[in-house]
Amino acid sequence: MNTKIITLPGDGIGPEVTREGVRVLEYIAKKFGHQFEFEEHLIGGCAIDATGEPLSNATLDACRAADAVLLGAVGGPQWDDPRAKTRPEVGLLGLRKGLGLFANLRPVKPHPALAHASPLKPEKIAGVDFIVIRELTGGLYFGKPQGRFEESGKTRAVDTMEYSDAEITRIVQLAFRLAEPRRAKVTSVDKANVLASSRLWREIATEIGRAHPQIKLDHLLVDTCAMKLIASPAAFDVIVTENMFGDILTDEAAVLVGSMGLLPSASLGAPFDSAQGVLGVYEPIHGSAPDIAGKSIANPIGTILSAAMLLRYSLNLSREADAIERAVDRAIDEGCRTADIAQPGERVMSTREMADAIIERM
Ligand code: IPM
Ligand code: MG
């Protein structure tokens, strides 16, 4: 098969980790006899510097025409001026919205050999295996009005949390579909005791739950969920939630696996279950980490596991995806460590060495 993959390395450590993700995909292509064509484009701060905007129409069109997109990270202190005309993050949000990627999948499964890397007690971590389905094109990130308004000498800034029934229905239905082959448990997270959008969310989730009696549905308020993620994380299977709640809860969840550098994500649109695979953007959940950029010490595993998700969801190549995931597991089992997951005295690998170690094990 001949496949076009757009790479958007972005800012900070984005280029370093994306490079390794591409090497892993090139190895897979060779080993399994596929043709992957890669084309690099700008997004985020580097795009602002080059073109004045964080996401050009050319980049967006290239992504639309491709089979999948592998993204590094966007942002950095040099683009952080609160009065700036635009920001790197605007490019990322524009990409998600522009491609209609309403579902962000963030699996969280700590590796037993890394239990020491998490600040939680090992007995809390044991058995943790859940996936967060974060709504990605609605809610507080996109609701209108949004902005800063000057009126009769006063300054106001507004964000709006808004959801339609259709937006809630498609994401909750997806969560139910993903729960089926897992432990058949969905936790819908909202703030229904305060927010109108959450009350609509809960009403729709309850209806969908009635139509799927084989799946156990719980509702949790987001504050309670934040607590349970630390107190009893092994109880979760599929968590489905609003855009910003999902943003916050998934950073919290990263603490369970021991390092942000390990977690992948997939952002998908419709039709999710297409046999040909669906267009998606795949990115590690860590940010651009400007403090370690250019030092070759970033952990490439989040990106490499994102590449595995790309194979599974966009290219329908689950055997190839499994091969990457198994190789990552073995590398960790056999003591391969980047700085973020090493214990004192352990040999620390560079970004490139870790990727090599994974490729060797495929
Ligand atoms: C994430 C990030 C982004 C988000 C930022 C960079 C805009 O935190 O993907 O979780 O808030 O969605
Ligand atoms: Mg985030």
Side-chain angles (χ1 to χ4, degrees):
M1 74 194 257
N2 203 335
T3 300
K4 179 89 161 258
I5 299 171
I6 302 294
T7 60
L8 303 174
D11 308 317
I13 60 170
E16 297 161 54
V17 293
T18 304
R19 200 173 298 136
E20 302 311 323
V22 168
R23 285 178 65 234
V24 167
L25 288 171
E26 278 169 343
Y27 182 82
I28 284 282
K30 198 168 78 193
K31 186 174 157 84
F32 289 83
H34 303 300
Q35 292 287 315
F36 296 161
E37 187 194 330
F38 295 93
E39 190 181 293
E40 189 173 307
H41 286 264
L42 296 174
I43 193 168
C46 59
I48 297 178
D49 291 348
T51 70
E53 48 185 4
L55 175 70
S56 67
N57 285 332
T59 298
L60 191 55
D61 287 342
C63 292
R64 279 203 186 100
D67 294 289
V69 180
L70 186 66
L71 191 144
V74 299
Q78 62 270 55
W79 304 287
D80 255 348
D81 177 359
R83 303 261 174 163
K85 227 172 60 242
T86 186
R87 301 184 52 90
E89 292 80 1
V90 171
L92 185 57
L93 299 192
L95 182 71
R96 292 168 176 171
K97 192 74 166 179
L99 299 178
L101 309 175
F102 67 87
N104 183 224
L105 278 52
R106 298 188 166 183
V108 179
K109 189 174 175 185
H111 195 289
L114 295 180
H116 66 82
S118 167
L120 268 75
K121 297 195 185 85
E123 62 265 30
K124 291 271 183 219
I125 304 287
V128 170
D129 178 4
F130 61 85
I131 182 163
V132 180
I133 317 297
R134 167 187 175 192
E135 203 290 327
L136 204 57
T137 50
L140 205 44
Y141 276 48
F142 291 97
K144 293 279 165 0
Q146 180 177 61
R148 184 179 161 130
F149 304 93
E150 323 279 342
E151 280 153 25
S152 35
K154 291 207 177 95
T155 306
R156 249 169 7 106
V158 185
D159 296 283
T160 302
M161 192 185 287
E162 177 178 1
Y163 272 106
S164 71
D165 49 359
E167 285 174 309
I168 300 169
T169 301
R170 66 182 178 181
I171 192 80
V172 176
Q173 272 174 346
L174 175 60
F176 274 77
R177 184 146 8 117
L178 291 171
E180 185 109 46
R182 296 177 53 99
R183 302 199 312 278
K185 193 178 159 201
V186 171
T187 304
S188 172
V189 176
D190 61 38
K191 188 71 185 174
N193 54 347
V194 177
L195 302 174
S197 57
S198 279
R199 286 190 286 276
L200 179 62
W201 183 288
R202 190 174 286 215
E203 189 183 315
I204 291 171
T206 305
E207 262 170 42
I208 295 173
R210 273 199 212 103
H212 295 82
Q214 75 285 15
I215 308 254
K216 181 166 165 19
L217 170 66
D218 287 328
H219 303 277
L220 274 188
L221 295 174
V222 63
D223 45 353
T224 312
C225 182
M227 184 179 65
K228 289 207 164 166
L229 270 179
I230 298 301
S232 47
F236 293 104
D237 182 19
V238 175
I239 296 173
V240 61
T241 193
E242 184 273 336
N243 201 345
M244 175 165 257
F245 297 162
D247 177 47
I248 297 169
L249 294 176
T250 50
D251 267 28
E252 188 189 3
V255 172
L256 303 170
V257 303
S259 167
M260 286 275 269
L262 293 166
L263 285 187
S265 83
S267 303
L268 308 172
F272 176 75
D273 52 1
S274 144
Q276 276 75 52
V278 59
L279 177 61
V281 172
Y282 300 84
E283 55 180 310
I285 87 151
H286 63 68
S288 57
D291 52 324
I292 60 163
K295 298 188 177 159
S296 304
I297 60 172
N299 190 340
I301 291 183
T303 305
I304 290 172
L305 291 175
S306 299
M309 294 183 91
L310 179 156
L311 293 169
R312 178 170 293 118
Y313 292 110
S314 281
L315 308 186
N316 228 10
L317 298 174
S318 44
R319 222 161 40 101
E320 289 81 343
D322 290 345
I324 295 179
E325 286 164 358
R326 269 200 312 272
V328 168
D329 276 345
R330 282 186 44 209
I332 294 174
D333 274 335
E334 290 165 20
C336 302
R337 300 285 184 271
T338 40
D340 55 319
I341 52 175
Q343 280 187 297
E346 279 181 331
R347 183 174 115 66
V348 172
M349 290 181 154
S350 69
T351 308
R352 169 61 49 102
E353 285 172 325
M354 177 61 103
D356 282 341
I358 292 164
I359 291 171
E360 269 163 37
R361 287 165 176 79
M362 291 195 308

